[in-house]
Amino acid sequence: MDVSTPVGGPWLVVGLGNPGPEYARNRHNVGFMVADLLAERIGGRFKRAGKAQAQVVEGRIGPPGPANRRVVLAKPMSYMNLSGGPVNALRDFYKVPVANVVAVHDELDIDYGTLRLKLGGGDNGHNGLKSMTKAMGADYHRVRFGIGRPPGRMQVADFVLKDFSAAERKELDYFVDRAADAVECLVIEGLERAQSTYNS
């Protein structure tokens, strides 16, 4: 899938997270952080999406011409483990093929700040992906943002719902910026190019 063979329909880029200020800087909310930066880049502000339990921004990314892509950025407002319903409702409303859906999410099994992009696959215990896959199948893109494993005996649930550490925060803006770049590359130039550039 490259710019010479675009998939029909717009792209739906979903940042996964939990709504509410108490969750805003949690590791589990890195998808929201990337979505917020992408919205800033296209000059949009998130607004409630009609009846869908989500906030959206509509716009375009990429240079003028055939590589320019219509994109809908979304943040489900349903809490992580119920993300699938709002995402599927938006996909139906905007007539987005499943292959044009991109989920941006935290990933425990990758070192902090490392990115991995892929199409399809399992949910690896991630409740947001589990809900999305149940709602529309697994054949959507994922931009996986590494957060590493919990230290010592800390429970996974406690770890993902904690804010990034002081040491992690020093590099967080850089890593979020890089993840936003990866999403743009995926949408404009295709998965293979994005993987070769950003998978590390």
Side-chain angles (χ1 to χ4, degrees):
M1 197 192 316
D2 58 30
V3 293
S4 61
T5 56
V7 173
W11 286 76
L12 175 60
V13 177
V14 181
L16 292 178
N18 288 307
E22 67 272 34
Y23 299 106
R25 304 306 290 173
N26 287 179
R27 294 183 177 92
H28 222 18
N29 269 43
V30 75
F32 274 19
M33 297 174 201
V34 175
D36 285 337
L37 179 56
L38 287 165
E40 194 179 303
R41 288 182 180 185
I42 65 173
R45 295 180 64 126
F46 277 100
K47 295 180 180 144
R48 199 80 184 190
K51 294 179 181 174
Q53 213 175 351
Q55 292 182 351
V56 299
V57 174
E58 297 178 58
R60 302 192 78 87
I61 61 173
N68 192 259
R69 298 282 184 262
R70 184 174 163 228
V71 66
V72 179
L73 307 175
K75 297 192 295 185
M77 293 286 115
S78 56
Y79 291 97
M80 182 70 83
N81 59 356
L82 298 172
S83 300
V87 173
N88 208 34
L90 291 172
R91 193 181 69 77
D92 286 345
F93 180 79
Y94 289 103
K95 299 180 171 47
V96 179
V98 173
N100 279 24
V101 176
V102 182
V104 185
H105 63 92
D106 57 304
E107 178 61 62
L108 286 159
D109 287 337
I110 303 174
D111 289 341
Y112 174 60
T114 299
L115 296 176
R116 293 274 194 283
L117 287 80
K118 68 174 188 173
L119 175 64
D123 57 58
N124 205 21
H126 192 288
N127 288 330
L129 297 182
K130 196 176 292 184
S131 180
M132 284 181 62
T133 298
K134 185 177 178 183
M136 62 185 192
D139 295 330
Y140 53 91
H141 288 86
R142 297 102 190 276
V143 174
R144 305 156 72 203
F145 186 111
I147 61 170
R149 301 293 305 185
R153 298 188 177 189
M154 184 185 289
Q155 295 296 310
V156 165
D158 294 331
F159 179 69
V160 299
L161 293 176
K162 277 192 171 20
D163 288 1
F164 286 99
S165 69
E168 288 169 336
R169 285 198 294 274
K170 288 176 182 172
E171 295 182 292
L172 182 59
D173 286 349
Y174 167 77
F175 289 138
V176 168
D177 193 69
R178 192 165 182 271
D181 290 347
V183 171
E184 291 181 345
C185 184
L186 168 61
V187 170
I188 297 165
E189 300 187 65
L191 179 61
E192 284 185 24
R193 173 63 65 87
Q195 286 176 324
S196 67
T197 305
Y198 293 98
N199 278 15
S200 47

